[in-house]
Amino acid sequence: MGAYYQYLVAFAAGVGGLLFGYEIGVIGQVLSMNSFAAYFGYRYKNAAGDYKDCTPDEYFTGCTSYAEDTTGWVTFTFLIGCVGGALIVSMMADALGRKYSILLGGLLFTIGGVLQSVANGLGVFYPGRVVGGIGVGIMSMSVPLYISETSPTAIRGRLTTVYQLMITIGIFIASVINSIIITVVDNASDTEWRLALGVQMIPGAILFVIMFFMPFSPRWLINRDRDSEALAILARLRNLPESDPAVAAEFKDIRDSVHEEREIGQASWPELFAPGIGKRTFLGFFLQFFQQWTGINVILYYQSDLFARMGIDKKAADIPFTLANNFINFVATFPGMYLIERVGRRKLLIWGGIMMGVAHCLVCLFFGLSQQTSALSWLAIVSVYIFLFGFASTWGPIVWTYQSEIFPMRVRAKGTGVATMSNWTWNAVIAKVTPKIIARINFYNYLVFAAACFIMATFTYVFVPETMGKSLEEMDEIFGAPEGAAEKKSKA
Ligand code: BGC
C-alpha cells in the first residue's frame, strides 16, 4: 500500500473532524429555517402569512417558547455535551485506546443525529444534542491524538492538520447540502430540517465502520505490553520491513520512553501542573482559549446575518456568500498544511495572529463605512475573507496539532483533554455572550477580537516554543523533563 497507508489512516480518522464540521455548518442554517422554528414553537405565521419570532412582547397562541431561549439552548446543549465528551475521554482514553475512543465518538454522534432528526419535541431534541455533542467532544480530542501517535516526526504536523482540513470540508459540505435542501424541499414542511440533521448519520456510520479497519496506535499498544503488534503496525505505517533499522530505532525510542514513564506510575490530575508538565498544560489551555477568541465561530455561526447586516440581500447572504466563506475556510487550510513543516508552528501562529488582527480592524472600519456608503460593503466582505484565510492557515490547524504533540504519554490523555475542554468551553461562552455584545456595540465588537488576535501573537512570541522536527519522545528537551523522569534520569 506504500506510504499512502499513513495518509489513509489520517484521513480515515479525520472523518471525525468532518462530523464536527458538519455540525458547525448545519446548525446555524437549521435554526433560521421557518420549518424548524415553527415546529418547535418559537416562530409563528401571522395573518399576512409572514413568519415572526416569538418574543416576550409578541407571544401568540402558536408560540410555546421564545426564539432567543430555544436557539440558545439548542447551541448550548450541544456544546455542554462536547465539554462532557472531552472530559469523559480524557479519563478513558488510556484504558479504551485512541481507536476505540474514536469509534465510540462516531457511534454517539450517530445516535445523537438519529434522536435530533426524529424528535417530536424538545424533550427528545435536547438529549439528542447532548449525545451528539459528547460524540464530537470525544472525537475532537482523540482524532488529533491518534493521528499524531501514528505519524512519523517529519510529517506529523502535516498529517495532524488533516483533522482541521476535514473540519473545514464538513462545514463546506453542510452548507452545500443545506443550500440544496433549502432550495428544493418545501420550506414549510418539517422534512426540511429533519433531512438537514439526518444527513449527518451517513458520515457518522462511515466513520464507525472504517475505524474498525484502522490500526491501533503503536504507542498505546506498547503501553499495554502488546509489543509485537506495535512493531508490526509501526512497520506497516512506515512502509518498511519490521527488521529495518529505522523502524527498530523508532520502536526502541517509543518503548523506552513509554516504559520509563510507566515506571513513574499512573498520572494524577494534579500532575498536569507539576514542573515539566505545567507549562504544557498552560499552553494547551491558552492556545485553545485564544483560538476561540479569534472570533472564528462568531463569523461562522452568524455569517449570513453578518453579510445581510453589511447590506447584502438576504438570499445572497444565505447561499452564495456563505458558500464562498466556507470554501475559503477549506482551501486556506492547504497553505497551513504546507507551511507547518517548513516554517514551523510558532511563526505561523505569530503571523496568523497579526493577520487576523489587521483583518478584524478592516472589517470594523468597512462595516462602519458601509452603513453610510453601501458600495463599501464588498470591502467589508473581503476583510472577512482575509480573516478567514488567516485563521484557516494558522490558528485553526496548528492549535490542534500542537496540543496533541506536547504532552508525554502518561499525561497525554489528560493534558489534551484539558486543552480540548478549554476549546469547547470558550466556544460556548463566546456563542452565548457575543449576541449581547453585538446588540450593545454593533460592529465595534470586531475590535475586541482584533485586540485578542494581537495579544495571542504576542503570547506566542513570548511563551510558545517551536516543536517542528522533534519526535514526541523528544518534547522533554523543549519543555523540561517531568519531575519523576528527571530524577530517574539523574539516578541512571
Ligand atoms: C475550531 C472550531 C472552528 C473550526 C472552523 C476549528 O479549529 O476549533 O471552533 O469552528 O476550526 O474551521
Side-chain angles (χ1 to χ4, degrees), residues 20 24 163-164 167-168 171 288 291-292 296-297 300-301 329 391-392 395-397 399-400 423-424 427:
F20 170 177
I24 295 171
Y163 172 64
Q164 175 72 15
I167 296 178
T168 60
I171 298 176
Q288 288 288 13
Q291 196 216 44
Q292 290 303 305
I296 178 65
N297 289 316
L300 293 178
Y301 291 156
N329 189 28
F391 178 86
W395 280 77
V399 173
W400 292 107
N423 174 288
W424 289 111
N427 187 333

Side-chain angles (χ1 to χ4, degrees), residues 28-66:
Q29 276 169 305
V30 166
L31 287 175
S32 69
M33 285 176 181
N34 288 331
S35 59
F36 182 84
Y39 190 89
F40 289 105
Y42 64 86
R43 207 169 280 169
Y44 66 93
K45 211 175 193 173
N46 66 13
D50 298 325
Y51 283 97
K52 294 270 176 214
D53 275 353
C54 303
T55 64
D57 314 326
E58 288 184 81
Y59 206 73
F60 282 73
T61 34
C63 295
T64 53
S65 64
Y66 302 129

Side-chain angles (χ1 to χ4, degrees), residues 68 71-73 75-76 79 289 292-293 295 297-298 301-302 309 424-442 444-446 448-449:
E68 213 188 289
T71 55
W73 277 109
T75 316
F76 196 67
L79 294 175
F289 164 89
Q292 290 303 305
W293 277 100
N297 289 316
V298 173
Y301 291 156
Y302 306 110
R309 287 196 298 134
W424 289 111
T425 306
W426 293 110
N427 187 333
V429 169
I430 293 168
K432 202 100 189 111
V433 301
T434 312
K436 293 191 172 48
I437 299 182
I438 293 180
R440 280 182 185 215
I441 60 173
N442 197 0
Y444 289 109
N445 82 307
Y446 292 96
V448 176
F449 295 128

Side-chain angles (χ1 to χ4, degrees), residues 152-201:
T153 303
I155 53 167
R156 186 186 61 238
R158 178 164 313 138
L159 286 176
T160 318
T161 58
V162 165
Y163 172 64
Q164 175 72 15
L165 183 75
M166 297 296 271
I167 296 178
T168 60
I169 294 179
I171 298 176
F172 182 64
I173 292 180
S175 54
V176 172
I177 293 182
N178 262 298
S179 306
I180 298 173
I181 294 177
I182 293 172
T183 319
V184 174
V185 179
D186 174 9
N187 296 151
S189 137
D190 55 345
T191 311
E192 188 186 38
W193 62 266
R194 291 191 193 280
L195 205 58
L197 291 169
V199 170
Q200 58 189 319
M201 291 181 274

Side-chain angles (χ1 to χ4, degrees), residues 342-413:
R342 285 183 169 73
V343 172
R345 287 67 162 150
R346 184 179 144 81
K347 280 192 187 144
L348 285 180
L349 289 176
I350 297 174
W351 293 348
I354 296 172
M355 183 172 176
M356 291 184 292
V358 171
H360 274 314
C361 292
L362 294 176
V363 173
C364 177
L365 175 71
F366 292 123
F367 195 161
L369 292 176
S370 71
Q371 311 292 297
Q372 276 105 47
T373 320
S374 60
L376 287 177
S377 56
W378 69 269
L379 280 175
I381 291 167
V382 170
S383 311
V384 172
Y385 291 163
I386 296 175
F387 161 79
L388 214 62
F389 184 91
F391 178 86
S393 54
T394 62
W395 280 77
I398 290 172
V399 173
W400 292 107
T401 300
Y402 203 83
Q403 77 163 34
S404 67
E405 63 188 9
I406 54 178
F407 292 99
M409 183 73 181
R410 294 179 61 239
V411 292
R412 196 169 288 153

